[in-house]
């Protein structure tokens, strides 16, 4: 009952992930990203520990495939897990355990990978990848959100999704953007709306953190 995507922007080196589900607060459990390292997704009987573990392995020099292979080998309940990993070079790896239920699917593409479970069609991940690949010149955050919309249009879940989330990292230890929508009738549409607002201030928030003397005041304080 979740579909999601990890992606990389080849132009900027940004890395990120997006996820939507009929469960509450999917973003807090499923998506993980670290600047200069990679991004990971963990879902279906979700174990939130596996995302940070994947990032730790990538940081040690593992490729996406090597990291995922190591995690699967070391995970006792691997048959219940569905995972996706992307590394800083854009290499990807995906995994669906034998007990992952319902219509499920995986797809890998250029600088991206998508996974889905308990959806209406196993074509959902491929639709997400194709959406992501079509727009290499757009901001990574927008591409990730549009991929969720493409997955929904390709069939989506068997029940309405209620949460959606987006994370993108660039150079700092904190996310460039981390937006979450929970308990909403149209969470993907709302996530898109939030990004359209946040994008105008995203660079400024980074500047305020790393170089406050050069930061502009928030619009509400400007004269």
């Amino acid at each position: 009952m979740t579909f999601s995507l990890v992606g990389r922007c080849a132009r900027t080196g940004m890395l990120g992930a997006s996820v939507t589900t009929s469960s509450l607060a999917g973003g807090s459990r499923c998506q993980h990203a670290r600047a200069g390292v990679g991004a990971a997704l963990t879902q279906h009987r979700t174990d939130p520990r596996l995302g940070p573990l994947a990032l730790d392995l990538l940081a040690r020099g593992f490729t996406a495939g090597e990291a995922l292979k190591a995690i699967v080998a070391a995970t006792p309940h691997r048959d219940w897990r569905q995972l996706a990993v992307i590394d800083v070079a854009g290499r990807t790896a995906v995994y669906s355990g034998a007990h992952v239920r319902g219509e499920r699917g995986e797809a890998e593409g250029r600088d991206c990978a998508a996974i889905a479970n308990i959806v209406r069609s196993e074509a959902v991940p491929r639709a997400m990848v194709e959406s992501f690949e079509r727009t290499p010149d757009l901001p990574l955050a927008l591409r990730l959100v549009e991929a969720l919309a493409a997955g929904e249009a390709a069939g989506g879940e068997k029940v309405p999704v209620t949460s959606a989330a987006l994370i993108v990292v660039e150079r700092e230890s904190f996310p460039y953007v981390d937006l979450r929508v929970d308990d909403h009738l149209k969470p993907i549409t709302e996530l898109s709306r939030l990004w359209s607002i946040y994008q105008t201030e995203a660079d400024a928030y980074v500047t305020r953190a790393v170089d406050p003397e050069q930061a502009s005041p928030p619009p509400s304080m400007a004269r």
Side-chain angles (χ1 to χ4, degrees), residues 7 13 21 26 37-38 56 66 72 83 112 120 135-136 160 163 168 172 180 182 189:
T21 179
V37 174
D56 288 343
E66 291 168 343
V72 171
L83 308 164
C112 66
R120 292 184 182 277
T135 55
S163 72
V168 172
E172 308 303 333
R180 302 175 188 182
D182 293 308
T189 300

Side-chain angles (χ1 to χ4, degrees), residues 8-20:
R8 168 183 175 266
C9 176
R11 294 181 299 105
T12 64
M14 288 183 172
L15 296 149
S18 58
V19 59
T20 188

Side-chain angles (χ1 to χ4, degrees), residues 19-219:
V19 59
T20 188
T21 179
S22 55
S23 298
L24 191 66
S28 68
R29 301 188 303 275
C30 299
Q31 60 179 18
H32 308 268
R34 190 179 302 170
V37 174
L41 292 161
T42 170
Q43 59 192 45
H44 191 274
R45 305 289 172 90
T46 307
D47 183 349
R49 298 171 294 182
L50 300 183
L53 175 57
L55 298 180
D56 288 343
L57 293 174
L58 295 179
R60 290 170 52 189
F62 285 51
T63 66
E66 291 168 343
L68 189 59
K69 184 178 180 179
I71 291 170
V72 171
T75 300
H77 304 294
R78 64 183 68 85
D79 286 345
W80 294 100
R81 314 303 187 191
Q82 192 174 45
L83 308 164
V85 180
I86 188 168
D87 62 32
V88 71
R91 295 166 296 205
T92 61
V94 294
Y95 171 79
S96 293
H99 296 333
V100 175
R101 296 181 299 140
E103 291 293 331
R104 69 187 194 188
E106 309 160 350
E108 297 176 82
R110 187 173 61 255
D111 291 316
C112 66
I115 51 178
N117 64 78
I118 317 180
V119 288
R120 292 184 182 277
S121 170
E122 62 183 21
V124 167
R126 176 51 55 188
M128 298 173 72
V129 165
E130 290 175 353
S131 169
F132 187 88
E133 290 183 323
R134 277 196 299 268
T135 55
D137 295 328
L138 292 182
L140 178 61
L142 180 58
R143 297 169 71 191
L144 290 167
V145 174
E146 288 186 344
L148 293 182
E152 181 79 351
E157 282 198 37
K158 295 182 178 181
V159 296
V161 293
T162 59
S163 72
L166 165 71
I167 188 169
V168 172
V169 293
E170 188 177 20
R171 293 182 297 269
E172 308 303 333
S173 59
F174 56 86
Y176 179 76
V177 56
D178 186 354
L179 297 175
R180 302 175 188 182
V181 177
D182 293 308
D183 195 22
H184 197 282
L185 292 176
K186 295 184 177 181
I188 300 172
T189 300
E190 178 65 6
L191 185 64
S192 179
R193 186 187 73 85
L194 292 178
W195 165 244
S196 70
I197 297 170
Y198 191 85
Q199 67 173 332
T200 63
E201 286 291 300
D203 290 330
Y205 284 126
V206 175
T207 301
R208 290 168 198 163
V210 302
D211 193 2
E213 291 184 357
Q214 299 301 317
S216 301

